[in-house]
Each structure stands twice: as C-alpha cells, then as structure tokens.
C-alpha cells in the first residue's frame, strides 16, 4: 500500500431535497476545483424551517483529498 498525505477542507452543502442531496451538491462543487477527492466525513447536520416544514437541509462536511 502506498503512503499518501491528505489535506481536508470544510464545506457546507445545501438542498431542499434532503441530506443526501446536500452531500452530493457539496462534493460535486468541490470536484470542479479540487483534484484527487478521496473521502468525506459528515460533521454537522442542520436545516431551515418555514411554515412548520423543513425547507432546506444543510450538511457540514470535511472532504479529504490526496496531495500530489
């Protein structure tokens, strides 16, 4: 197994569809500017309520990527 060094960034993804969609949105956006994405960790989950219903989900992620 090769030895690697990783860096992490913290992002918040959001979606009206749910937490899975919020995670996907954050990762898809990060992939546009960061190479070698390897893993993610959900750090926090929260949401926004409007009229007694959940309007938006927000998920704070740590995303790890391998340094070249």
């Amino acid at each position: 197994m090769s030895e690697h060094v990783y860096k992490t960034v913290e992002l918040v993804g959001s979606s009206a569809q749910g937490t899975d969609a919020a995670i996907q949105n954050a990762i898809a956006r990060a992939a546009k500017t960061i190479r070698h994405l390897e893993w993610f960790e959900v750090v926090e989950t929260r949401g926004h309520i409007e009229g007694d219903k959940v309007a938006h989900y927000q998920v704070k992620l740590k995303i790890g990527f391998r340094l070249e």
Side-chain angles (χ1 to χ4, degrees):
M1 180 176 186
S2 299
E3 295 179 6
H4 299 291
V5 175
Y6 297 90
K7 181 173 178 72
T8 60
V9 294
E10 219 171 65
L11 301 172
V12 177
S14 64
S15 174
Q17 311 307 314
T19 56
D20 288 347
I23 292 167
Q24 293 293 337
N25 289 342
I27 292 172
R29 179 59 184 91
K32 290 182 179 181
T33 57
I34 301 172
R35 293 188 306 253
H36 309 300
L37 296 178
E38 296 279 333
W39 55 267
F40 72 92
E41 172 186 358
V42 174
V43 178
E44 184 178 331
T45 305
R46 60 180 177 260
H48 176 73
I49 300 169
E50 288 181 9
D52 297 332
K53 294 186 179 183
V54 176
H56 294 92
Y57 299 85
Q58 292 182 332
V59 179
K60 184 190 290 185
L61 305 170
K62 285 185 181 179
I63 297 179
F65 60 95
R66 188 178 72 251
L67 296 177
E68 294 180 340

